[in-house]
């Protein structure tokens, strides 16, 4: 369990970074993508050099995650810890999973747009061993916009 109080946050971040190092890094990183193309809780404009950190969750992210808490946003924390984009990019393999219509634009922006901190997931295109697993609904816009990207 992590203590996300402001006084303990820096200590917790250092503890987690140390744990990653002690284990020899991350072998396989399995992550999702948010409707705004965040990965982990690395929201748009997060630096690609970011490491484990405490983040203030956007209201949209909190609303979307409230479905796991009987749609009660008051049960969703306002902040949380996440590994940074640099941590993700250092993993040996990265698998990104996405499903449903709400993820369509994020998948399109990630795969077809420029690599930019405005689209955190686009950083994954720089990873040498990156796999995207999407359902048909999450892929629709890519297929229409770029028919040469086959859906397998």
């Amino acid at each position: 369990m992590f203590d996300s109080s402001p006084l303990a946050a820096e200590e917790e971040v250092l503890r987690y970074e140390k744990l990653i190092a002690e284990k020899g890094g991350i072998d396989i990183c399995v992550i999702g993508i948010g409707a705004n193309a965040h990965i982990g809780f690395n929201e748009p404009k997060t630096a690609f050099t970011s490491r484990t950190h405490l983040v203030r969750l956007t209201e949209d992210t909190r609303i979307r995650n409230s479905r796991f808490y009987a749609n009660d946003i008051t049960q969703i924390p306002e902040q949380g810890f996440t590994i940074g984009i640099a941590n993700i990019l250092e993993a040996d393999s990265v698998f990104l999973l996405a499903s449903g219509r709400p993820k369509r634009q994020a998948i399109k922006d990630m795969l077809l747009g420029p690599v930019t901190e405005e689209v955190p997931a686009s950083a994954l295109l720089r990873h040498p061993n990156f796999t995207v697993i999407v359902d048909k609904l999450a892929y629709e816009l890519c297929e229409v916009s770029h028919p040469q990207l086959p859906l397998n």
Side-chain angles (χ1 to χ4, degrees):
M1 193 66 157
F2 290 96
D3 181 350
S4 63
S5 66
L7 295 176
E10 187 173 329
E11 184 178 312
E12 291 294 339
V13 165
L14 293 173
R15 185 170 71 96
Y16 202 76
E17 283 286 322
K18 182 179 176 188
L19 180 64
I20 292 171
E22 287 173 356
K23 298 295 181 181
I26 300 170
D27 294 328
I28 299 173
C29 184
V30 179
I31 56 175
I33 185 171
N36 65 356
H38 74 254
I39 50 176
F41 282 128
N42 295 288
E43 298 286 354
K45 299 184 182 177
T46 300
F48 288 170
T49 57
S50 66
R51 302 204 63 80
T52 304
H53 59 284
L54 182 66
V55 59
R56 178 159 300 283
L57 303 178
T58 65
E59 185 166 347
D60 182 62
T61 295
R62 293 179 68 232
I63 289 168
R64 289 180 186 274
N65 282 295
S66 69
R67 71 185 187 275
F68 301 118
Y69 297 86
N71 293 315
D72 182 1
I73 194 169
T74 65
Q75 298 299 309
I76 306 298
E78 293 182 5
Q79 57 187 14
F81 289 100
T82 186
I83 59 173
I85 295 173
N87 298 97
I88 295 167
L89 293 176
E90 290 169 2
D92 293 338
S93 299
V94 178
F95 292 86
L96 181 131
L97 311 176
S99 65
R101 289 182 188 273
K103 306 298 174 84
R104 289 185 306 179
Q105 189 65 49
I107 293 296
K108 179 181 177 187
D109 292 346
M110 175 190 66
L111 293 176
L112 304 177
V115 174
T116 173
E117 290 177 354
E118 294 290 328
V119 180
S122 69
L124 299 172
L125 296 176
R126 295 180 175 168
H127 195 283
N129 195 15
F130 166 54
T131 302
V132 179
I133 302 170
V134 297
D135 67 2
K136 180 77 171 160
L137 293 175
Y139 183 78
E140 276 179 345
L141 289 177
C142 291
E143 191 175 34
V144 169
S145 301
H146 238 284
Q148 67 265 32
L149 288 176
L151 180 62
N152 293 334

